[in-house]
């Protein structure tokens, strides 16, 4: 992962979404200072926070890390298993 690219992408996507560092931090569950450090190349988000950032910023980890988009939209995250039932005809 290129830390400079991550910092650039977080800042760009945050601003595109119209979020402040404080608002993004609240959504991720970190302080605005942590967001500021990420955006200024002083630290990197951990894996869990990268996943949260990708979700909040409506992107994927590859774009956050390298500035490249995957072909097509990222697959949805499955939060629950849905049981299927057979309907009598």
């Amino acid at each position: 992962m290129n830390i400079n690219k991550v910092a650039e992408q977080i800042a760009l996507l945050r601003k595109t979404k119209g979020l402040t560092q404080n608002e993004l931090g609240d959504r991720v569950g970190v302080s605005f200072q942590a967001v500021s450090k990420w955006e200024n190349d002083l630290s990197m988000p951990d894996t869990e926070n990268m996943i949260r950032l990708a979700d909040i910023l409506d992107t994927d980890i590859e774009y956050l890390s390298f500035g490249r988009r995957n072909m097509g939209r990222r697959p949805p995250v499955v939060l629950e298993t849905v049981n299927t039932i057979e309907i009598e005809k």
Side-chain angles (χ1 to χ4, degrees), residues 69-82:
R69 286 266 183 218
N70 284 330
M71 296 304 287
R73 179 118 166 95
R74 63 188 165 100
V77 175
V78 177
L79 299 176
E80 292 182 27
T81 302
V82 178

Side-chain angles (χ1 to χ4, degrees), residues 27-86:
R27 290 188 184 186
V28 174
V30 299
S31 67
F32 78 89
Q33 292 96 332
V35 175
S36 177
K37 286 180 180 181
W38 297 340
E39 291 183 359
N40 288 293
D41 295 333
L42 300 175
S43 69
M44 276 284 281
D46 63 21
T47 303
E48 189 173 315
N49 286 331
M50 284 290 281
I51 293 168
R52 286 185 182 134
L53 284 166
D55 186 50
I56 293 163
L57 299 173
D58 195 30
T59 192
D60 53 56
I61 293 176
E62 184 173 0
Y63 186 74
L64 280 177
S65 302
F66 306 107
R68 293 187 308 243
R69 286 266 183 218
N70 284 330
M71 296 304 287
R73 179 118 166 95
R74 63 188 165 100
V77 175
V78 177
L79 299 176
E80 292 182 27
T81 302
V82 178
N83 293 325
T84 58
I85 58 171
E86 291 187 34

